[in-house]
Amino acid sequence: MLVRTVFIIAFVASAVLAEPVKYLDCGSKVGQIVSVDVTPCPKEPCDLIKGGNTTIAVKFTSKEVVNNATAVVHGILAGVPIPFPLSNADGCKDSGLECPLKSSTTYMYTTILPVKSVYPQLKLVVKWELKDEKKDDIFCFEVPVQIVKK
């Protein structure tokens, strides 16, 4: 009985933490965003915890066939986009996507964003783009975050 209760509590907690966040679509062209989830993000702006990992999940529908997908991420500070390097920018590898993507099909892109402990504590906007082989945005969203200590 105790195991069942713990499982139910863990399931409810994970469902609460994975609620879609408010985002700004910044130019999705090849696809259409259905939802953006940031985990953990119990409140907005989302806290990115220094030394931790944040999971990004984007549900989207592709409007065209896409052969290759590349993630491009920027942190926007005072209106200035600063490139954010990713350990895996290949959107077709280890992201839940298998290329080529088909037209009129809904997909779930997921990735883990490591938040290095050397990052300064600050508020910023994260701009996340998934680009196709023509450099067009499959999706593009912006979400406000703040980098915080544990």
Side-chain angles (χ1 to χ4, degrees), residues 21-37:
V21 297
K22 294 176 188 166
Y23 64 90
L24 172 68
D25 188 308
C26 52
S28 300
K29 181 177 178 183
V30 179
Q32 180 175 1
I33 297 173
V34 175
S35 65
V36 175
D37 296 327

Side-chain angles (χ1 to χ4, degrees), residues 72-93:
V72 178
V73 179
H74 289 85
I76 301 175
L77 293 168
V80 177
I82 299 167
F84 187 91
L86 296 174
S87 59
N88 176 27
D90 185 345
C92 301
K93 181 180 177 190

Side-chain angles (χ1 to χ4, degrees), residues 57-79:
V58 182
K59 187 175 184 179
F60 69 97
T61 302
S62 180
K63 298 177 189 176
E64 301 174 10
V65 172
V66 174
N67 294 310
N68 295 303
T70 304
V72 178
V73 179
H74 289 85
I76 301 175
L77 293 168

Side-chain angles (χ1 to χ4, degrees), residues 2 21 38 40 51 70 84 116 119-120 122 126 131 141 148 150:
L2 178 62
V21 297
V38 179
T70 304
F84 187 91
K116 296 182 181 177
Y119 291 164
L122 50 82
V126 170
K131 294 183 172 285
F141 70 87
V148 298
K150 292 182 185 181

Side-chain angles (χ1 to χ4, degrees), residues 35-118:
S35 65
V36 175
D37 296 327
V38 179
T39 305
C41 183
K43 65 178 179 61
E44 293 178 34
C46 296
D47 287 345
L48 302 184
I49 300 169
K50 292 171 69 160
N53 291 320
T54 300
T55 301
I56 308 295
V58 182
K59 187 175 184 179
F60 69 97
T61 302
S62 180
K63 298 177 189 176
E64 301 174 10
V65 172
V66 174
N67 294 310
N68 295 303
T70 304
V72 178
V73 179
H74 289 85
I76 301 175
L77 293 168
V80 177
I82 299 167
F84 187 91
L86 296 174
S87 59
N88 176 27
D90 185 345
C92 301
K93 181 180 177 190
D94 300 328
S95 68
L97 302 180
E98 189 173 312
C99 294
L101 304 181
K102 298 174 185 172
S103 178
S104 303
T105 304
T106 301
Y107 294 95
M108 180 67 78
Y109 166 84
T110 58
T111 191
I112 294 177
L113 179 68
V115 183
K116 296 182 181 177
S117 54
V118 297

